[in-house]
Amino acid sequence: MKEFFGFGGYTRTPEGYLSWQHLLFVSLLMAGMVLLAVLLGRRMRSRAEKEKNSVLIGAAIAIDAVELFNIVMHCVVAQDPLKWLQMLPLFLCTVQLITLPLAAFAHGRIKEAALDFVLIFGILGAVMGTFAAGQNYAAYPVLSLDNVFSGLTHAIAGFASLYIAFSGMTSLKKRNIGITYLILIGICALAYVADVLIPYNYMFLMRGDGTPYDLFYDLVNGNPVLYPLCVVALFLLYIAVFYGVCFLLRKKKRAK
């Protein structure tokens, strides 16, 4: 248990990024996530909106509870009171700690836009934060507090994303596109301020840290202006493509 929680630092050598242990662990997490989302989504598809929403409420409570426990373990039990500065919900995946509860508890256009945001970025964050998380799996053992809780947080976000799609809770209305963009831009702005003041690397706006963002970091030679602009532009482009594909599919479906 001491090795799992890593109090005082891990003594085990990390198995390594893309090691078979890393790939097996995250594959099991993602398989469970997909299976649960599909089964629950299909089961709840014909139910009333209140019943559908009850699953999202459970997911919202679970993701915040996992992260709160993680923060307590690091800051209180491990006696690292400033660790929370590196655990703010300012990554593309951990921002679901805010947007998922909004999707579950809010109403009107705010709820619709939050549902869109969770749908669009939940599954992307789940994949990026598990299979592509070189910054975690190169630094910590696979079965450790940091990686297990990170994996659970990403899996819950991915589950919510797929559940929204399979349960028919998808909004994706043109009038809410602007709100979705504003949520992302606001998060990026807060992340950049935090990166400068702490300093840290929220939203990977400072460097790639072993993730696929390293490709763009190397492309612009680590330029402190061009690199974060490239990252934000990728997010914005992803939103546009996601909406565009969904609108195109809807149009084709109506035409049949």
Side-chain angles (χ1 to χ4, degrees), residues 98-113:
I98 299 171
T99 53
L100 183 48
L102 279 177
F105 294 104
H107 300 280
R109 290 183 66 184
I110 298 298
K111 182 181 183 70
E112 291 176 352

Side-chain angles (χ1 to χ4, degrees), residues 7-244:
F7 298 149
Y10 296 106
T11 58
R12 286 177 295 153
T13 302
E15 294 84 353
Y17 176 52
L18 297 182
S19 65
W20 70 265
Q21 294 94 333
H22 165 214
L23 295 177
L24 176 61
F25 174 67
V26 298
S27 294
L28 290 174
L29 267 181
M30 293 298 100
M33 172 197 81
V34 172
L35 181 62
L36 190 60
V38 172
L39 290 178
L40 277 176
R42 290 170 66 89
R43 180 180 179 184
M44 302 296 287
R45 191 172 183 86
S46 59
R47 304 287 182 88
E49 289 301 313
K50 186 176 181 180
E51 290 183 81
K52 292 181 183 180
N53 197 60
S54 64
V55 176
L56 273 190
I57 290 175
I61 293 172
I63 196 172
D64 280 0
V66 167
E67 192 62 16
L68 180 60
F69 182 79
N70 194 20
I71 291 172
V72 170
M73 292 302 296
H74 278 97
C75 296
V76 179
V77 180
Q79 299 181 348
D80 188 1
L82 295 181
K83 182 68 176 178
W84 66 271
L85 289 172
Q86 299 177 359
M87 303 176 75
L88 299 173
L90 293 175
F91 281 113
L92 198 56
C93 45
T94 55
V95 75
Q96 305 293 353
L97 296 166
I98 299 171
T99 53
L100 183 48
L102 279 177
F105 294 104
H107 300 280
R109 290 183 66 184
I110 298 298
K111 182 181 183 70
E112 291 176 352
L115 282 169
D116 287 357
F117 196 92
V118 174
L119 172 66
I120 293 169
F121 286 108
I123 189 63
L124 176 67
V127 174
M128 293 290 289
T130 53
F131 287 102
Q135 78 285 4
N136 277 0
Y137 290 94
Y140 313 122
V142 171
L143 294 181
S144 63
L145 176 70
D146 292 276
N147 282 333
V148 170
F149 276 73
S150 173
L152 288 174
T153 300
H154 288 87
I156 295 171
F159 161 80
S161 175
L162 292 176
Y163 174 77
I164 289 169
F166 281 97
S167 66
M169 293 185 73
T170 306
S171 168
L172 294 177
K173 296 178 180 177
K174 291 182 179 179
R175 67 175 187 169
N176 295 325
I177 295 176
I179 300 177
T180 306
Y181 273 119
L182 284 175
I183 292 173
L184 178 67
I185 293 171
I187 293 165
C188 288
L190 290 173
Y192 189 80
V193 171
D195 287 340
V196 173
L197 295 180
I198 293 175
Y200 200 51
N201 192 26
Y202 285 115
M203 295 291 278
F204 298 102
L205 294 177
M206 297 291 107
R207 56 195 178 277
D209 271 357
T211 67
Y213 295 116
D214 274 332
L215 296 173
F216 298 93
Y217 188 85
D218 294 338
L219 185 65
V220 298
N221 294 318
N223 187 286
V225 176
L226 292 179
Y227 171 69
L229 287 177
C230 284
V231 173
V232 175
L234 281 173
F235 296 151
L236 299 178
L237 178 62
Y238 176 71
I239 292 176
V241 171
F242 195 100
Y243 272 110

